[in-house]
Amino acid sequence: MSLDIDPLAQEDDGVHPVFGQAPRSVGFNKLRKRLIRQVRQAITDFDMLKGQKRWLVGLSGGKDSYGLLALLLDLQWRGLLPVELIACNLDQGQPNFPKHVLPDYLTSIGVKHRIEYRDTYSVVKEKVPTGGTYCSLCSRLRRGNLYRVAREEGCDALVLGHHREDILETFFMNFFHGGRLSAMPAKLLNDEGDLMLLRPLAYAAEDDLERFAAAMAFPIIPCDLCGSQDGLQRNAMKEMLAGIEAKMPGRKAAMLRALGHVDASHLLDPKLFDFSSLATKDV
C-alpha cells in the first residue's frame, strides 16, 4: 500500500455513509487526515495486509473501536484497504446494556456485522474477589470469544482499537509491576498460529480519537464493569503519562518511538544479546 497517495486529496468522489453526518470543517479534515495517515503507516510498517482477505473488527461501543472502524471503512471506500471487514460486538451480559445501539448503528451505515452473546460478565463477577480488578480476566474471555467468531466467519485477523496510550500504559504496567520490558505489539500471531491480531491505531493518540469520536457523534456505550472500578493500575499509568506530557510536551511520541528502536546490547537480557561472545581485540 503506497503512502505517496493522499487518500483525502479528492473529496468529490463521495464518502462512506459512516461520514454522512461528519463535520466539513478544516479542523476535522486535518484530524481525519492525520488519523488516516497514522493508520496507513502502521499497516505498512507491520505488513498487516500480507495474505489478508477478511478482518473481524472488534467493536466494543467505545470511542476507540468506533474510530477504528470508521477509519478502516474510509480506507476501504477509497480502494486503499483491499480486505473485507466484518464488525463484531461481544455482548457480555452486562446489566442494562443497550442491545439495540450497535446493530442499529451498523445497519444504518451498511456495515456487515455480527452481535455475539456470551455472559462473561457473570463469570468475571464470580471469579474475581471483592476489591479485585476485572480487566485481565474480562479481556481474556472477550479475546477468546472474538478469536472463535473470527474463525467461524472465515477471517484472517482480529483487529482491535488499541491506541498509542494503551501501548505506553501497558509498557509501564509491565515495567513497574511485572519486571519486564513488554508492551502491546501492533501485530501478533495468536497461540494457535491460525489468526493474526492487528492494532492499526498503534500510532494514534487517544486525544485525537476522543476529538474524532465527538465530532462523529458515535453512539458511545460506557463500560459498567472495568470502567466502574477506581484505582486501577492502568489509571495510575495514564495519570503518570499525562503528567509527564504536561510538563514535557512530546514525550509520549518519543516514548512510542523508543519502543521501535531497541538496542539489545545496551539492556541486561543475555537471551537477547550474546554478551558472552564479547571479547577485546588482541593488541
Side-chain angles (χ1 to χ4, degrees):
M1 182 170 61
S2 172
L3 294 180
D4 296 331
I5 304 171
D6 182 353
L8 300 182
Q10 296 181 344
E11 293 291 346
D12 58 356
D13 58 349
V15 294
H16 189 279
V18 73
F19 289 99
Q21 303 301 317
R24 295 291 183 262
S25 66
V26 173
F28 177 77
N29 196 44
K30 287 182 177 179
L31 173 62
R32 181 177 164 198
K33 281 189 174 185
R34 179 164 63 251
L35 289 169
I36 284 287
R37 183 174 65 251
Q38 290 167 340
V39 168
R40 297 180 73 215
Q41 190 66 59
I43 289 174
T44 297
D45 286 352
F46 299 98
D47 202 8
M48 293 185 184
L49 289 177
K50 185 176 182 179
Q52 299 288 300
K53 296 180 180 178
R54 181 181 254 196
W55 286 358
L56 188 77
V57 182
L59 192 64
S60 66
K63 68 182 190 314
D64 306 324
S65 59
Y66 272 125
L68 170 66
L69 179 63
L71 295 166
L72 294 180
L73 289 171
D74 199 2
L75 286 173
Q76 186 189 57
W77 180 265
R78 298 174 188 283
L80 299 171
L81 187 67
V83 296
E84 182 181 354
L85 301 175
I86 303 174
C88 178
N89 170 253
L90 180 65
D91 179 349
Q92 297 178 264
Q94 295 183 22
N96 303 316
F97 182 78
K99 296 178 181 294
H100 67 284
V101 171
L102 283 167
D104 287 355
Y105 174 74
L106 293 169
T107 299
S108 73
I109 60 173
V111 172
K112 183 176 181 180
H113 61 276
R114 173 170 168 176
I115 307 298
E116 183 74 4
Y117 178 79
R118 284 291 185 277
D119 185 9
T120 62
Y121 178 88
S122 297
V123 175
V124 172
K125 295 287 284 186
E126 176 186 348
K127 298 294 183 183
V128 177
T130 302
T133 56
Y134 301 137
C135 292
S136 179
L137 178 57
C138 181
S139 176
R140 290 199 303 273
L141 293 173
R142 182 171 61 249
R143 187 77 51 82
N145 277 289
L146 289 174
Y147 276 144
R148 173 182 55 79
V149 172
R151 293 186 185 99
E152 292 174 359
E153 295 292 339
C155 294
D156 309 294
L158 170 62
V159 188
L160 300 178
H162 295 123
H163 47 66
R164 180 185 73 177
E165 277 70 15
D166 288 323
I167 292 171
L168 292 176
E169 289 160 17
T170 300
F171 173 81
F172 281 105
M173 286 173 65
N174 290 330
F175 183 68
F176 288 132
H177 302 287
R180 66 185 189 277
L181 297 181
S182 175
M184 286 180 172
K187 182 180 182 180
L188 176 71
L189 182 64
N190 70 337
D191 291 339
E192 292 78 9
D194 63 336
L195 288 168
M196 286 291 179
L197 188 150
L198 305 176
R199 295 182 171 102
L201 295 180
Y203 296 150
E206 184 173 19
D207 286 349
D208 279 350
L209 290 167
E210 287 179 350
R211 287 192 291 271
F212 185 70
M216 293 286 290
F218 294 134
I220 303 297
I221 302 174
C223 175
D224 292 326
L225 188 60
C226 301
S228 66
Q229 291 181 291
D230 295 326
L232 295 177
Q233 292 175 355
R234 185 170 293 276
N235 288 345
M237 298 301 103
K238 184 182 292 292
E239 292 174 4
M240 181 194 73
L241 287 166
I244 293 173
E245 186 71 15
K247 293 179 180 178
M248 296 178 287
R251 292 316 92 195
K252 287 183 180 180
M255 291 178 196
L256 195 72
R257 287 196 301 272
L259 292 181
H261 295 83
V262 178
D263 191 342
S265 69
H266 285 56
L267 296 175
L268 303 176
D269 192 342
K271 297 187 296 297
L272 292 180
F273 185 80
D274 186 8
F275 293 97
S276 63
S277 67
L278 294 178
T280 58
K281 294 181 179 179
D282 293 331
V283 178

